[in-house]
Amino acid sequence: MAKIKSTKSGFFIGFDMDGVIIDHTVSKLKLAEKFGFKLKPEETHSEVIKTLIKDNLLREIQYTLYHDPDFYKSSSLMNGAKDGLKLIKKQNLPFVLISRRRDPKIAIKTLKFHGLWPKIFNSKNTFFVSKPEDKNVKAKKLGVTHYIDDQIDVLEKLVDVKNRFLFDNLDVFSAFGGKNTRGYIRIKSWKELIE
């Protein structure tokens, strides 16, 4: 297991995969429609969709998204993600991917399909865990100083990461002037993240 520690820059960035690097919006819209739900793009966000679709149907949608070996090509990269990751790599900033994907083989296939494996992510900087708390354990062990995730519930578990950012490309957390972000810095795009 790789032991990466932050460099002189003081930055060591951790990324979530789904909802930060991989965009499932269109795929979720299509799958929801297959089950009779007509959703708006912002309703596909993980924290919103679970309030709209019953557990058993939602599990079926999630299974197809994350485990179906024929479905991984249907999701796209977040706009600007590839260029942003290339820039971070070019600047020699250390970074890792810490994902809760339960099927690493499909996750790696997805990254390969989008040209991110092994050029950007590989077996040395990619880690798969089970629970949000496990993300914190891994991030702490590696020395992650900044973590980007699209779910507040996950960010709350990363208690040992000093800087936590909420990726909100669908503008889900803008209600009440962004006050429902629970104090996390909200980032709406990869362009904003890189800046």
Side-chain angles (χ1 to χ4, degrees), residues 33-96:
E33 195 165 348
K34 180 181 166 187
F35 289 102
F37 294 90
K38 187 132 176 79
L39 301 180
K40 298 174 189 167
E42 60 272 17
E43 292 174 326
T44 64
H45 187 279
S46 299
E47 293 193 26
V48 178
I49 198 169
K50 67 184 177 186
T51 66
L52 302 172
I53 299 179
K54 292 182 181 179
D55 285 348
N56 57 336
L57 294 178
L58 186 57
R59 275 194 295 273
E60 208 167 323
I61 288 170
Q62 290 170 332
Y63 181 84
T64 303
L65 276 175
Y66 306 129
H67 300 283
D68 186 330
D70 299 320
F71 202 78
Y72 71 92
K73 295 178 183 178
S74 67
S75 294
S76 60
L77 279 178
M78 284 288 176
N79 190 24
K82 192 172 196 175
D83 289 338
L85 288 164
K86 283 181 181 178
L87 181 62
I88 289 167
K89 185 174 181 176
K90 186 178 178 180
Q91 292 180 351
N92 290 320
L93 291 172
F95 63 92
V96 291

Side-chain angles (χ1 to χ4, degrees), residues 116-176:
L116 298 177
W117 187 284
K119 293 177 185 177
I120 304 290
F121 295 109
N122 53 57
S123 60
K124 293 180 181 174
N125 70 351
T126 302
F127 305 93
F128 297 99
V129 298
S130 298
K131 302 178 296 224
E133 295 86 353
D134 298 335
K135 279 190 174 190
N136 183 63
V137 171
K138 181 57 72 178
K140 182 180 179 184
K141 185 176 181 180
L142 294 170
V144 171
T145 61
H146 295 69
Y147 195 85
I148 298 97
D149 204 294
D150 67 316
Q151 295 182 48
I152 288 177
D153 293 346
V154 173
L155 290 174
E156 287 184 336
K157 304 294 185 195
L158 288 153
V159 294
D160 292 304
V161 177
K162 186 176 179 181
N163 306 286
R164 293 170 272 176
F165 299 87
L166 179 63
F167 193 83
D168 186 20
N169 69 308
L170 295 171
D171 210 22
V172 172
F173 298 98
S174 66
F176 316 108

